[in-house]
Amino acid sequence: MRRVVIFGATSAIAQATARLFAAEGARIFLVARNAERLEAVAADLRLRGAAEVHTTVADLTDMADHARLVEQARATLDGIESVLIAHGTLGDQAESERDPTALLREMTTNFLSPASLLQALAPVMAHGTIAVIGSVAGDRGRQSNYVYGAAKGGLRVFTQGVRHRLASRGVDVVLVQPGFVDTPMTAAVAKGGPLWAKPERVARDIHRAMARGGPAILYTPWFWRWIMLIIRLVPDAIFRKTKL
Amino acid sequence: MVRSDYLSWGRVLRPRQTVTRPAFMGDVAAILRGSRTSVLPFGMGRSYGDSCLNADAALIDVRALNRLIAFDRETGVLEVEAGVTLAEILQYLTAVSEPERSWFPAVSPGTKFVTVGGAIANDVHGKNHHSAGCFGNHVLSLRLLRSDGTTHLCSPSQETALFAATIGGLGLTGVILSAVLQMKSVPSLWLEVEDIRFEDLAAFDRLNAESADWEYTVAWTDCLARGPQLGRGIFTRARHAGRLGPPPPAMLRFRRSMPIDLPGFALNAASVTAFNALYWRRAPVTPTRRVSSYEPVFYPLDAIGQWNRIYGARGFHQYQCVVPTVTAPEAIPALLNAIAAARQGSFLAVLKTLGSRPSPGMLSFPMAGTTLALDFPNRGAATYDLLNRLDAITAAAGGRIYPAKDGRVSAGDFQRGFQNWRDFARHVDPHFSSSFWRRVTAPFESSSNS
Ligand SMILES: Cc1cc2nc3c(=O)[nH]c(=O)nc-3n(C[C@H](O)[C@H](O)[C@H](O)COP(=O)(O)OP(=O)(O)OC[C@H]3O[C@@H](n4cnc5c(N)ncnc54)[C@H](O)[C@@H]3O)c2cc1C
C-alpha cells in the first residue's frame, strides 16, 4: 500500500490525483488550509478506496511549521513514499506591480513555501518520488504574469537541485509543468480551443510520473513540451513585440 | 466572466453568460450573494434546448462539486454532491460490487454524462419508467441553497412543498448542493437483452404487453417509414442477469470523439432514409437473446464523444412529447405521419411506453402513455413549421413536451401541458431564471377554446 502525502490537497489537480491513489488503496495524508473542504475531500477519497485518509489543517506559508508537518506525516504513515506539493495561487500581476507586499506574498506561496517543504522532506525520505507542481509560465517571463512565472521558474531550478541532491538515495523529484487546466482556479479565464485540459487528464500524467519517478520535468498534456520549446526559442527582438 | 462557450446539447443557441464555478459547496452562497443578474445552475449541459441556459445573465457551473459523501453497502443509500455524474456513480458502484449483490442507479437516462443535480432538476426517466417511475422517486432527500442564504433539507417528509417543486424544478428553486439517493440492488451489472424487430405500432403495443417481466424496454423506430410500414422498428428489452464473473468495466472516457461539425449536406433525407431502412433490416427477424454489459444497452451514444456535432454548426432540436394512453393510438401515428411526410427526422427516433407511477415532482414530464423522441437538424423555418405541427397534435391529444429537450415550444403549449405551472412558480427563487423559463412564462393569447 502506497503511503502518499499531499500538500494543497483541496486544489483540483491534487484532488484528481489523490483519487487515482485512493483507487489503488493507498494510505493518504492530506494537508490544506480549510478544515471543511479538507473533510469533504477526505470523505470522497475514503469512499473511493483509500485504505486510510488522515488530514491536517495548516497554512503552508508558515514555513516554521514545515518540519513538524513532515514529521507528523512520516509518523502517521510510518514512512513516506510519494509526495505531491500542489498548493499555489494564480496571483494578480497588476497588484504585484503596485504593491511589494503582494509581490512578497506571491513569491512566498508559489516559491518559498514549496522550496521550504522540499528542504524539510529531503532528509526524511528513503525512497520514492516527490512531485512539485510548477507551471509553463515559469519557462519564460512574460509581461502578463512574470511574478507568478518567476516564482515557478525559481521552483524549477530549486527542484532540479533537490533532484540532484537526492539521486544517490533513490528518491526522484519531478517538476510538473501543466499548461492550461480547466479548474475553478482558472474559472475567470475564457476557455476555448484544444489547449485546455481537464484536471483528470493532468492527474493521470502526474500519477504515472510519480510511480515511475520521472521524467525530471513533466509537461502535461505532452504537447506543452513542444509549445514551450518554441516559446523559449523565440528571439527576444520578436518576443518583445507580442502581447502575450 | 462573460463567456459564449456554454452551450446546451442541441447547440442551436450561443448565448453570452457570466459563468462562475464553485470548487466546494461552501462557495455557492457567496456567488449567489454577489450576482447582480439572475442565476441558473448548470450541470453537464445534456439538456437540448434552452432550459439549462440563462442568456445575458449568470450560470453557476456545479461540476466541480463532484465528491462522494457516504455510501451504505447494506442499504444501498448513496449520498453525493450534486455535480457528481452518473458515470462516476457507475464507476464507483462497479468498484464496490460484490459477488452476491451489486448496486445500480434506480433510474438512468440514455446518457450517463448527466449530473445528479441535473437529473433531479429534470426528474429524468429511463427505460424502466413503467416499473420504477422517475429519478425523483428514488431521491431520499436533498439539500437546497436559496438566494436568501438559507439551506433547506427537503425530503418526502420534510419541507415537502419545496421538495416537490425542486424535483423537475428546472434549476429554478435554488442550487441543489447534495442529494441522498436510493440505489437498487441487482444480481449483477450484466444484462440479459433481446432485440425484436416489429412491423407496425400494433406490434409495438403487443410487445409492450408481453414484456411484463422485463425491467427495461424501449424501441427505436424508423421515423421515415410510411404507409403500411408506419411505426416499424426494433424493440429492445433487458433485465439484470445473474452473476457472470467479474463486473463489466466502467468506461469513463469516449472511445472516439467527433472532431468537427459535420457539413450540413451530410445529413439529408436520402441518407437518413437509407440509414434507417438498413438499420431496421439489420435486426434479426427472430428475436435473439444475448448477454451484454449495461453500457451499450443503456448508453449507446456515449461511445462517441460530442456526437451532437454530426448535425453541423447550426445544431439541432430534439422533439420529445408524451401523449396519454387513451389518445396515443391516434396521436402517435399522426405524429409519425407528419414527420415522414416532411421527410425531416433523423436516426434517433425513440418510442417508449411510460407507466403510471407518479413522481413527487410538481413539474415532472412523464405521464402514463407513450413518449416519442427524435432529432431534427436545424433547417430554420421548415424545421420550426414541422415542430409546431407536432405541438398541435400533442396538445390536441392532451399531451405535453419535455422541457429538458425543448428550445422553442410556445408559452401557450407549455402552460396547457403543465397545468400546475402557476403553483410551481410560487416556489421559484426570486434570483433564479432561465432562457426557457422567461420564454414559456411570457403572457400569451389564449386560444378560443380555453
Ligand atoms: C444522449 C442523451 C440521452 C438522453 N436520454 C434521456 C432519457 O432517456 N430520459 C430523460 O429523462 N432525459 C434524457 N436526456 C436528457 C438529460 O437526461 C437531461 O437533460 C439531464 O437533466 C441533463 O443533466 P445535466 O447534468 O447535463 O444538466 P443540464 O442540462 O446542465 O441542466 C439541466 C437542468 O438542471 C438544472 N441543474 C443542474 N444542476 C443543478 C443543481 N445542482 N441544482 C439545481 N438545478 C440544477 C439546470 O439549471 C437545468 O435546469 C438525454 C440527453 C442526452 C444528451
Side-chain angles (χ1 to χ4, degrees), chain B residues 9 40-48 51-52 62 82 109-111 113-115 117-119 121-122 124-126 170-171 174-176 301 307 402 404-405:
Chain B
W9 197 243
L40 183 74
F42 185 90
M44 290 289 282
R46 252 55 176 192
S47 299
Y48 284 75
S51 68
C52 60
V62 300
T111 171
F113 298 115
V114 299
T115 62
N122 275 326
V124 301
H125 59 275
L170 303 172
V175 178
I176 302 166
L301 290 165
W307 60 260
Y402 191 5
K405 309 290 179 77

Side-chain angles (χ1 to χ4, degrees), chain B residues 320-343:
Chain B
Q320 181 167 5
C321 63
V322 59
V323 287
T325 313
V326 279
T327 51
E330 307 230 312
I332 296 292
L335 290 164
L336 289 173
N337 266 322
I339 294 159
R343 288 174 50 86

Side-chain angles (χ1 to χ4, degrees), chain A residues 10-11 15 19 36-38 40-41 43-45 47-49 182-184 186-192 198-200 204, chain B residues 1-3 5 19-24 26-27 64 66-71 73 78-79 81 84 88 91-92 96 253:
Chain A
T10 53
S11 87
Q15 279 185 77
R19 285 177 178 177
E36 192 186 326
R37 294 172 168 215
L38 198 51
V41 172
D44 178 69
L45 296 177
L47 249 62
R48 286 175 197 261
D182 184 4
T183 67
T186 59
V189 187
K191 296 169 185 66
K198 296 259 175 270
E200 289 76 20
R204 281 200 300 280
Chain B
M1 180 77 207
V2 178
R3 303 171 55 152
D5 57 345
V19 180
T20 49
R21 193 161 170 206
F24 287 85
D27 302 341
N66 64 358
R67 293 169 201 92
L68 309 176
I69 300 172
F71 182 59
R73 292 186 190 208
L78 173 69
E79 181 172 9
E81 294 183 357
V84 167
E88 288 171 296
Q91 187 199 32
Y92 177 66
V96 300
R253 274 168 285 142

Side-chain angles (χ1 to χ4, degrees), chain A residues 46-117:
Chain A
R46 284 188 193 109
L47 249 62
R48 286 175 197 261
E52 48 191 76
V53 183
H54 306 272
T55 61
T56 287
V57 176
D59 179 350
L60 292 171
T61 57
D62 177 8
M63 289 174 277
D65 201 27
H66 284 181
R68 186 196 63 79
L69 267 179
V70 168
E71 173 49 28
Q72 190 193 342
R74 193 203 57 77
T76 310
L77 298 180
D78 193 23
I80 302 174
E81 282 154 337
S82 304
V83 180
L84 175 63
I85 301 177
H87 64 287
T89 48
L90 208 45
D92 180 341
Q93 168 75 23
E95 196 190 347
S96 296
E97 285 171 19
R98 282 191 310 268
D99 177 4
T101 322
L103 176 65
L104 188 60
R105 196 176 56 230
E106 283 308 298
M107 286 295 170
T108 304
T109 10
N110 293 314
F111 174 61
L112 294 176
S113 161
S116 155
L117 272 175

